[in-house]
Amino acid sequence: MDLGIKEKRALVLGASRGLGRAIAQALAAEGAVVFAAARSVDKISAYADAADTIHAVELDLGQIDQVDRVVDGLIKDGGVDIIVNNGGGPPPGAAQTAERAAWLQHFEAMAANLFHLNARLLPMMKERGWGRIISITSSGVEQPIPNLALSNGIRSAVVGWSKTLANEVAGDGITVNVVMPGRIHTQRVDELDAAAAKRTGADVAEVAAKSRRTIPAGRYGKPEEFADVVTFLASARAGYVTGSKIRIDGGSIKSI
């Protein structure tokens, strides 16, 4: 199936590892020109060398000057057609003990600066009459995950922004969707399992096995499976899918 994104320009955030890396590689495999952004460009360069269409971009979403510098460069070079809003999550913690400073710090990096980046890149999409904006959140926006208060709260704000923006730009040929990963086997999931083991005193392998038993599919997902869905949403074929939340969680969320 031709997805119609050959030579489309895609910005993938949080692309040094895990889901971001898998998405960058999947888009490049379809012929897109990918700007893979993260704080650690060395990790991107390590896999970008195998694909001429992946370009490493240094970007810390927590630093607004860096955000503007990257956006300035992309606009000067012709803008982008596809934005994948992805990034690492905040540390675990309970809602009742989360401090104001932590909320502000992580909201700036995970939401406010992200909204700013997209707003600056949108006009060129509108001029072309085509664009794709995909935000990676978490299953916690539908079914809050215990001890991930910062993530549950801030990512829910991204969902509200995405739906509002989707309604505003649908007539311009731009789709805006949210994709919610469940337990996809990335380094982040290993870190969360390790944190749960430390908190409860259990063995990490025990924690992971217990987590897998709660998933109807009986396993953690593969990053490549997740990336394939995101790549389809970024494609010309998905032009009538907008304002949606799509789960990739092996059936973990209990409601329809």
Side-chain angles (χ1 to χ4, degrees), residues 184-247:
I184 310 296
H185 199 183
T186 63
Q187 188 175 339
R188 165 73 170 168
V189 165
D190 286 341
E191 290 166 355
L192 291 175
D193 284 347
K198 183 177 180 180
R199 191 173 67 252
T200 61
D203 181 74
V204 176
E206 221 175 272
V207 169
K210 182 178 179 181
S211 178
R212 289 186 179 97
R213 288 195 294 270
T214 68
I215 303 168
R219 64 178 177 88
Y220 286 168
K222 300 174 184 177
E224 296 79 13
E225 292 174 309
F226 185 88
D228 285 344
V229 177
V230 174
T231 300
F232 176 74
L233 289 173
S235 76
R237 299 269 183 167
Y240 204 57
V241 182
T242 195
S244 296
K245 290 188 297 184
I246 293 126
R247 301 173 186 161

Side-chain angles (χ1 to χ4, degrees), residues 122 126 161-172 174 176 242:
L122 260 171
K126 294 174 76 170
W161 167 82
S162 296
K163 181 61 176 177
T164 305
L165 181 62
N167 292 342
E168 293 175 359
V169 300
D172 297 303
I174 300 168
V176 185
T242 195

Side-chain angles (χ1 to χ4, degrees), residues 6-255:
K6 187 175 182 181
E7 298 183 355
K8 293 288 188 186
R9 293 161 56 86
L11 172 63
V12 180
L13 305 177
S16 62
R17 67 177 193 171
L19 299 180
R21 172 177 175 159
I23 293 165
Q25 291 176 312
L27 289 169
E30 292 298 324
V33 177
V34 179
F35 299 94
R39 286 174 295 183
S40 177
V41 291
D42 289 344
K43 291 180 180 178
I44 296 171
S45 298
Y47 71 82
D49 289 345
D52 292 337
T53 57
I54 299 179
H55 308 284
V57 177
E58 184 176 1
L59 174 60
D60 181 349
L61 278 170
Q63 304 297 320
I64 191 61
D65 58 333
Q66 281 194 33
V67 172
D68 278 325
R69 184 164 63 249
V70 168
V71 171
D72 287 342
L74 290 170
I75 290 173
K76 185 177 179 180
D77 199 32
V80 296
D81 306 290
I82 299 162
I83 304 172
V84 179
N85 294 313
N86 175 59
Q96 60 187 320
T97 56
E99 296 181 354
R100 180 177 182 276
W103 281 110
L104 292 174
Q105 175 192 343
H106 294 290
F107 185 86
E108 184 173 25
M110 294 172 61
N113 290 355
L114 201 68
F115 303 160
H116 173 73
L117 177 148
N118 282 261
R120 290 202 58 201
L121 290 169
L122 260 171
M124 295 188 82
M125 288 185 184
K126 294 174 76 170
E127 286 176 16
R128 285 192 284 265
W130 199 97
R132 301 286 183 266
I133 296 174
I134 302 157
S135 294
I136 313 305
T137 59
S138 161
S139 58
V141 303
E142 285 205 350
Q143 186 171 290
I145 301 168
N147 207 48
L148 286 183
L150 290 170
S151 177
N152 295 336
I154 297 169
R155 294 193 196 280
S156 293
V158 174
V159 172
W161 167 82
S162 296
K163 181 61 176 177
T164 305
L165 181 62
N167 292 342
E168 293 175 359
V169 300
D172 297 303
I174 300 168
T175 67
V176 185
N177 292 291
V178 168
V179 184
M180 302 173 294
R183 287 281 175 161
I184 310 296
H185 199 183
T186 63
Q187 188 175 339
R188 165 73 170 168
V189 165
D190 286 341
E191 290 166 355
L192 291 175
D193 284 347
K198 183 177 180 180
R199 191 173 67 252
T200 61
D203 181 74
V204 176
E206 221 175 272
V207 169
K210 182 178 179 181
S211 178
R212 289 186 179 97
R213 288 195 294 270
T214 68
I215 303 168
R219 64 178 177 88
Y220 286 168
K222 300 174 184 177
E224 296 79 13
E225 292 174 309
F226 185 88
D228 285 344
V229 177
V230 174
T231 300
F232 176 74
L233 289 173
S235 76
R237 299 269 183 167
Y240 204 57
V241 182
T242 195
S244 296
K245 290 188 297 184
I246 293 126
R247 301 173 186 161
I248 308 173
D249 67 356
S252 294
I253 298 294
K254 306 308 179 189
S255 62

